[in-house]
Amino acid sequence: MTEAAPAAQGAGAGAGAAPPLVALRGVSKRFGEVVAVDRAHLEIRRGEKLVVIGPSGSGKSTLIRLINGLEVADEGEVELLGQRIHAHHEPPPSLRAECGMVFQHFHLFPHLRVLDNLTLAPRHVRRLPRAEAEARARELLARVGLAGKAAAWPAELSGGEKQRVAIARALAMQPQIMLFDEPTSALDPEMVGEVLEVMRELAQGGMTMVVVTHEMGFARAVADRVVFMDAGRIVCSGPPAAMFDRPPHPRLQAFLARILSAR
């Protein structure tokens, strides 16, 4: 008899609920002998703020890279915006364009000024006219508190400014979901707050977000749901209060005790 797959971990998955924006069903990813993600089942609803936590090397970054096709699953299936992507297949470019991605190390184009960093993809992927792309870019720069930096080169920006530009660049594509891969871990401590504030405002605006982070205060304040990973597996998930105040798994208890004692 075939063993039934575990139910996907998601919010609002009852009868009659809208289909998930993203679903991972039995997804695994290996790098040689290392199993980075092991049979992950996960659903993300439109408008949900999902925060992924766990020790280094637990598969968090690989998990979100599987959502937008930066990594391709070895097993299982990813469903994105109603389209199923089977193992060993990449999502089409039209689907990848719906996933904004903010990386740990910014990945701005150093040879382009800030405004051009924001307009490149909308002009060439979305086919927006230059004037429209630039108008949107300037609005987004103002939104992240960098209205005066349109003509700056990336090398002239602080780390916090670079990351806010990276967020604006992702938003310029008008994605349906935003993915953040430890967006504050490369920043000096005094710059972390300015980036987290932009992310809080984005969450309050209703954007669907998946955030890999070690910022437990942000997770508690912003997340609708927290997912804990260890050794490539989704160990448990739940609302922030339940996860932080009453950790449902011994491994999560040990992780939080170590994180909190280090602060």
Side-chain angles (χ1 to χ4, degrees), residues 44-168:
I44 303 163
R45 301 282 160 179
R46 187 175 298 278
E48 188 175 13
K49 287 69 175 168
L50 184 78
V51 173
V52 185
I53 64 173
S56 297
S58 60
K60 306 183 300 295
S61 294
T62 302
L63 184 79
I64 65 168
R65 290 169 69 91
L66 285 162
I67 292 173
N68 70 350
L70 287 175
E71 301 292 350
V72 176
D74 295 317
E75 297 174 8
E77 172 186 278
V78 177
E79 183 174 322
L80 181 58
L81 304 179
Q83 296 192 39
R84 294 184 174 184
I85 302 119
H86 299 287
H88 308 294
H89 289 77
E90 296 182 0
S94 59
L95 273 186
R96 293 186 65 174
E98 301 299 334
C99 298
M101 184 79 174
V102 178
F103 300 91
Q104 178 178 349
H105 293 291
F106 324 129
H107 292 321
L108 300 179
F109 296 113
H111 62 291
L112 296 179
R113 295 183 186 271
V114 166
L115 186 67
D116 294 325
N117 262 279
L118 267 67
T119 59
L120 183 66
R123 288 177 55 214
H124 292 280
V125 179
R126 297 291 197 194
R127 302 297 182 185
L128 287 185
R130 179 186 290 272
E132 184 177 346
E134 289 188 353
R136 179 183 296 169
R138 292 184 187 279
E139 290 175 1
L140 288 168
L141 287 173
R143 182 176 176 183
V144 300
L146 296 172
K149 298 293 185 178
W153 298 99
E156 298 172 334
L157 305 176
S158 70
E161 289 172 339
K162 289 177 183 177
Q163 196 60 293
R164 284 186 281 157
V165 168
I167 293 172

Side-chain angles (χ1 to χ4, degrees), residues 1-6 39 41:
M1 182 172 63
T2 303
E3 182 180 356
R39 293 168 288 177
H41 292 264

